[in-house]
């Protein structure tokens, strides 16, 4: 039976848009905040859910485990087997892999050649470090941020005068092609 895929988004959703344009079969789009990614899902007629992370914050801070539990419940309710993170900006707690049964079932696309430049500011960090080549890495997500088995990588040259925006956009151009391909081949999704 073909696996049911969820795509997790927080922002622009241009990777999601590319997946849809390439007719990747997506069963659910889940966002941690209202964002353009949700509008894209709505327009494409894909079921979507917003689990607003701001509702999981109080004076003691962000309740990551509770948020993660709600995400897991929603994925299970929609009978999701595998998950592709596409610019999802909340780090889920370890329980997603240890307690909720999703170990090995989350894929991530990161805008650097891992293990270099982990984290949210990967493109900026690479640019500031002065590397001449950076790129994208598609990997299985684990409880350690931007770690886990690497499935594919593609290099992007840093050009003279590049800004974070211009460089990131060229990285995304690669991601928009590579990510759907890897999801299809690794998970056998139509
Ligand atoms: C991508 O560069 C991805 O690698 C990173 O977030 C970006 C998402 O872009 N994790 P978009 O929101 O799909 O345009």
């Amino acid at each position: 039976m073909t696996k049911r895929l969820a795509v997790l988004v927080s922002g622009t959703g241009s990777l999601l848009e590319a997946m849809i344009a390439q007719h990747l079969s997506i069963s659910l789009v889940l966002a941690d905040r209202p964002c353009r990614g949700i509008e894209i899902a709505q327009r494409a007629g894909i079921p979507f859910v917003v689990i607003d992370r701001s509702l999981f914050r109080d004076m003691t801070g962000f309740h990551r485990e509770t948020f993660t539990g709600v995400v897991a419940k929603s994925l299970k309710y929609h009978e999701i087997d595998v998950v592709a993170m596409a610019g999802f900006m909340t780090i889920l707690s370890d329980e997603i892999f240890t307690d909720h049964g999703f170990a090995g079932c989350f894929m991530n696309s990161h805008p650097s050649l891992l293990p270099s430049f982990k984290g949210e500011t990967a493109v900026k960090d690479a640019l500031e470090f002065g590397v001449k080549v950076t790129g994208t890495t598609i990997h299985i997500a684990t409880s350690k941020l931007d770690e886990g088995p690497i499935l594919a990588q593609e290099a992007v040259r840093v050009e003279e005068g590049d800004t974070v925006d211009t460089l990131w956009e060229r990285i995304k151009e690669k991601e928009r092609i590579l990510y759907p391909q890897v999801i299809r081949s690794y998970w056998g999704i139509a």
Side-chain angles (χ1 to χ4, degrees):
M1 222 173 61
T2 151
K3 291 185 167 68
R4 283 173 59 80
L5 169 73
V7 179
L8 270 49
V9 295
S10 299
T12 321
S14 72
L15 300 191
L16 170 66
E17 216 164 19
M19 291 172 192
I20 294 169
Q22 289 162 54
H23 307 290
L24 188 68
S25 171
I26 300 170
S27 302
L28 178 72
V29 171
L30 186 151
D32 64 352
R33 68 200 72 190
C35 61
R36 183 172 171 269
I38 287 302
E39 290 164 29
I40 293 166
Q42 195 169 16
R43 242 182 282 135
I46 298 170
F48 62 89
V49 57
V50 181
I51 303 172
D52 195 332
R53 58 166 284 147
S54 68
L55 303 174
F56 294 78
R57 177 174 284 286
D58 63 16
M59 275 149 53
T60 64
F62 176 56
H63 293 267
R64 198 173 303 280
E65 272 177 41
T66 313
F67 175 81
T68 299
V70 176
V71 169
K73 273 216 175 78
S74 179
L75 294 175
K76 283 180 192 158
Y77 177 78
H78 290 274
E79 299 179 330
I80 295 303
D81 303 299
V82 291
V83 177
M85 293 190 282
F88 189 64
M89 297 304 287
T90 301
I91 297 169
L92 297 173
S93 66
D94 288 3
E95 285 77 14
I96 195 77
F97 305 118
T98 55
D99 298 4
H100 300 299
F102 286 102
C105 301
F106 271 58
M107 204 182 279
N108 186 38
S109 177
H110 182 76
S112 78
L113 292 175
L114 291 172
S116 295
F117 307 115
K118 294 173 184 169
E120 258 180 61
T121 53
V123 180
K124 180 171 174 279
D125 295 346
L127 199 57
E128 283 177 3
F129 196 88
V131 295
K132 300 297 176 205
V133 175
T134 180
T136 170
T137 304
I138 315 293
H139 67 99
I140 293 295
T142 63
S143 56
K144 295 212 178 81
L145 183 68
D146 298 328
E147 291 195 13
I150 291 176
L151 303 175
Q153 286 186 309
E154 223 167 282
V156 173
R157 201 172 289 283
V158 180
E159 306 287 356
E160 196 68 36
D162 253 338
T163 62
V164 172
D165 287 347
T166 58
L167 178 56
W168 203 339
E169 182 51 29
R170 284 206 315 287
I171 294 172
K172 285 190 191 186
E173 281 169 14
K174 299 268 187 195
E175 292 182 282
R176 289 176 194 130
I177 296 166
L178 189 62
Y179 203 13
Q181 280 174 357
V182 175
I183 292 169
R184 274 211 165 93
S185 61
Y186 189 76
W187 281 326
I189 290 170

